[in-house]
Amino acid sequence: MVAVIALSGALGPWRHRLADAVGLIAYAAQPERRRRTARNHRRLDPAIDAAEARRRARASYSEYGRVIADFLWGCGLDEPTVLANSVVIGLEHIDAARDSGGVLVIAHHGNWDMAGRVAVAQGVALSTVMAPIGPRFVTDLVVWARQRNQLDVFAPQRAALGLMRALRRRRFVALLCDLPEAGPETVVDYCGGPVIFSTVSARLALQTGVPLLPAECRRGGPGEPLFVARVHPPVAVAGRTEQQIMQAVADALEPAVRAWPQYWYPFGTVYADGL
């Protein structure tokens, strides 16, 4: 893994060219999956035609390859380099919660690992949960890499207790909300239809009283740093149900998906109605 990280650093910007090629190979090799991805893009934006939906599906494959390449590249960076290559919009919302900790909630859009890397570089003590990814050795490698990036990583079976303890220590907890694999969940209106969201972040905020902060991180465009992270204002939780809270989270995160659909990765079944 160390050698792969070093290679990613040595490639520099060329890592994206390699990632694009790998992504397009995966796109060509998965006909049903790529058709589903195109259908999901068209549901997100019914105004596009089939050709544009296929173009966006190809872009999603390429960008996901870049997510992996940037994750490996980011593992080899020191914090000054991370800060020099990133900007955080809404950092004041993090600063306001440094004495209490908080729950950062992010979707499968952009680069969630670089979001964590940028947060740590900004002095945020961060804990998260990671479910198994494929074979055991792949999971172990990713956990190792995230711990190398100074993330406190819990397995799902230890997550509930671990996350509560992290918040009591005034750490921040980062959780993915869409496409949940286990735990409590609800259905929200998101990206053109009903989507299942995890309610763990809402439950933690209700139980502890810490701020619940939707967040996202994307690659920057021309004139921007390499990574642009955004932290949204806290979602109100008092007097709301978990479903209402997660709907507010969905409303905060959806505009970025619509603005930059190429950074959305709808490869599987996204919508709860199966359409």
Side-chain angles (χ1 to χ4, degrees):
M1 187 66 168
V2 174
V4 174
I5 291 170
L7 175 62
S8 181
L11 286 172
W14 284 95
R15 70 185 181 279
H16 288 160
R17 299 289 183 88
L18 179 60
D20 289 345
V22 173
L24 291 176
I25 290 171
Y27 176 85
Q30 299 176 336
E32 179 53 39
R33 195 173 176 88
R34 70 174 184 249
R35 284 192 289 268
R36 184 188 302 119
T37 304
R39 287 196 300 270
N40 289 334
H41 271 290
R42 204 164 185 184
R43 183 154 187 187
L44 171 69
D45 187 356
I48 64 174
D49 60 16
E52 174 62 15
R54 290 193 295 271
R55 188 196 70 78
R56 292 188 183 186
R58 287 193 299 273
S60 289
Y61 269 84
S62 293
E63 291 296 342
Y64 191 72
R66 292 187 177 201
V67 165
I68 297 171
D70 285 336
F71 167 57
L72 296 172
W73 173 77
C75 286
L77 300 183
D78 57 27
E79 292 185 358
T81 304
V82 174
L83 293 174
N85 283 277
S86 63
V87 64
V88 181
I89 301 168
L91 183 60
E92 65 272 16
H93 304 307
I94 292 284
D95 290 338
R98 288 187 188 271
D99 290 337
S100 65
V103 180
L104 292 162
V105 57
I106 195 166
H108 285 85
H109 175 264
N111 192 324
W112 44 94
D113 274 301
M114 283 308 303
R117 191 72 186 88
V118 171
V120 169
Q122 290 286 348
V124 176
L126 201 59
S127 301
T128 191
V129 179
M130 195 188 107
I133 304 173
R136 175 64 183 268
F137 78 92
V138 174
T139 298
D140 290 343
L141 286 174
V142 175
V143 169
W144 174 85
R146 288 177 175 170
Q147 290 174 336
R148 177 188 171 104
N149 284 342
Q150 301 179 52
L151 269 67
D152 191 16
V153 182
F154 296 107
Q157 60 269 26
R158 297 177 51 239
L161 182 58
L163 294 177
M164 288 295 293
R165 285 178 174 172
L167 290 171
R168 292 193 189 105
R169 296 186 347 247
R170 300 180 181 179
R171 295 176 64 89
F172 283 77
V173 165
L175 297 171
L176 285 159
C177 60
D178 57 336
L179 307 179
E181 296 184 3
E185 58 189 36
T186 191
V187 176
V188 299
D189 182 20
Y190 179 68
C191 293
V195 176
I196 297 174
F197 267 33
S198 167
T199 62
V200 171
S201 56
R203 189 163 295 183
L204 287 172
L206 285 168
Q207 290 177 350
T208 64
V210 301
L212 177 62
L213 304 166
E216 64 221 24
C217 182
R218 61 174 174 85
R219 261 190 318 108
E224 294 181 315
L226 189 56
F227 295 100
V228 178
R230 176 171 182 157
V231 181
H232 294 268
V235 168
V237 300
R240 283 180 158 182
T241 65
E242 292 180 358
Q243 193 282 332
Q244 290 170 331
I245 293 168
M246 296 315 299
Q247 183 61 63
V249 169
D251 293 343
L253 296 178
E254 182 173 331
V257 182
R258 292 192 177 277
W260 296 282
Q262 69 271 32
Y263 302 140
W264 189 41
Y265 315 113
F267 305 131
T269 300
V270 172
Y271 299 100
D273 56 14
L275 300 179

